């Protein structure tokens, strides 16, 4: 059995302002560091073999805080779990996005299917490389939304549900099938 604990990064200034961050490389604010420390404390009660992170600063900083508390020496960076590219909507709030792009077509925004495909390939890589291990994966809200939707065979469509900063999501692969154990 392979267990993946998916953690959303800690809070940034843009999270607090409810702006789409996308690939913008924004650091954690002090509250985000505190959230990461709280997640680390919770995760320290279990045994972990590997920590994987998106390369963006907010995820990487969260992973470093968790790593230092749970005693792992390395963080593996994986581009498969980088945040969705929100294109021209990056830096906008949802309300601003609706005003600027009333037709819902956002130039440069990563397609749902492209996003889900890259995440599934990332999960396949994790399963091949770390089969039977307990893994912490630090990523982003849109990635986690898409991952949960994919793992549930589209039966859980999170939609407007907010994936909270440093929330814990656990999936397990048992005999080739991913199952959601904990969500948000």
């Amino acid at each position: 059995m392979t267990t993946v604990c998916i953690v959303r990064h800690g809070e940034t200034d843009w999270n607090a302002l409810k702006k789409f961050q996308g690939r913008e490389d924004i650091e954690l604010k002090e509250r985000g560091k505190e959230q990461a420390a709280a997640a680390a404390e919770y995760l320290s009660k279990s045994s972990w073999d590997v920590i994987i992170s998106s390369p963006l600063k907010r995820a990487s900083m969260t992973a470093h805080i968790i790593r230092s508390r749970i005693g792992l020496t390395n963080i593996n960076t994986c581009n498969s779990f980088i945040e969705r590219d929100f294109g021209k909507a990056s830096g906008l709030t949802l309300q601003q996005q609706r005003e600027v792009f009333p037709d819902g077509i956002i130039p440069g925004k990563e397609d749902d299917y492209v996003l889900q495909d890259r995440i599934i390939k990332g999960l396949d890589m994790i399963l091949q490389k770390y089969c039977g291990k307990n893994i912490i994966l630090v990523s982003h809200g849109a990635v986690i939304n898409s991952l949960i939707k994919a793992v549930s065979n589209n039966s859980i469509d999170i939609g407007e549900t907010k994936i909270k900063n440093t929330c814990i999501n656990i999936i397990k692969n048992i005999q080739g099938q991913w199952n959601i154990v904990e969500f948000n």
Side-chain angles (χ1 to χ4, degrees), residues 8-69:
R8 184 177 181 209
H9 62 80
E11 188 177 72
T12 68
D13 286 333
W14 281 24
N15 288 135
L17 296 170
K18 301 185 184 318
K19 291 183 177 185
F20 288 97
Q21 292 176 100
R23 303 277 172 89
E24 303 298 326
D25 207 6
I26 300 166
E27 295 187 10
L28 297 178
K29 62 189 290 180
E30 197 57 40
R31 176 174 160 79
K33 292 174 186 175
E34 292 166 3
Q35 291 169 328
E41 181 63 29
Y42 176 81
L43 293 169
S44 72
K45 296 175 179 130
S46 299
S47 177
W48 302 99
D49 301 303
V50 178
I51 188 164
I52 300 169
S53 177
S54 155
L56 296 177
K57 288 178 189 173
R58 56 194 184 268
S60 179
M61 290 172 73
T62 301
H64 279 282
I65 292 167
I66 293 170
R67 180 201 53 79
S68 67
R69 178 67 173 102

Side-chain angles (χ1 to χ4, degrees), residues 145-163:
N145 276 329
S146 186
L147 189 149
I148 295 296
K149 186 175 178 182
V151 167
S152 71
N153 292 318
N154 297 322
S155 67
I156 300 175
D157 188 357
I158 297 162
E160 295 296 316
T161 301
K162 180 170 174 35
I163 299 292

Side-chain angles (χ1 to χ4, degrees), residues 81-101:
F81 302 105
I82 196 169
E83 179 60 297
R84 178 182 209 158
D85 189 342
F86 285 104
K88 296 289 184 183
S90 188
L92 302 177
T93 65
L94 182 58
Q95 180 62 35
Q96 290 169 331
Q97 176 186 306
R98 288 178 177 156
E99 290 169 5
V100 175
F101 306 106

Side-chain angles (χ1 to χ4, degrees), residues 1 4 12 15 20 26 28 33 35 46 48 70 88 97 101 109-111 113 123 129 133 137 152 155 170 175 178 184:
M1 177 171 51
V4 180
T12 68
N15 288 135
F20 288 97
I26 300 166
L28 297 178
K33 292 174 186 175
Q35 291 169 328
S46 299
W48 302 99
I70 63 173
K88 296 289 184 183
Q97 176 186 306
F101 306 106
K109 182 178 178 184
E110 185 175 19
D111 181 79
Y113 298 105
L123 279 178
K129 193 169 183 180
K133 303 286 186 187
L137 170 62
S152 71
S155 67
I170 297 179
Q175 298 177 342
W178 288 106
N184 211 9

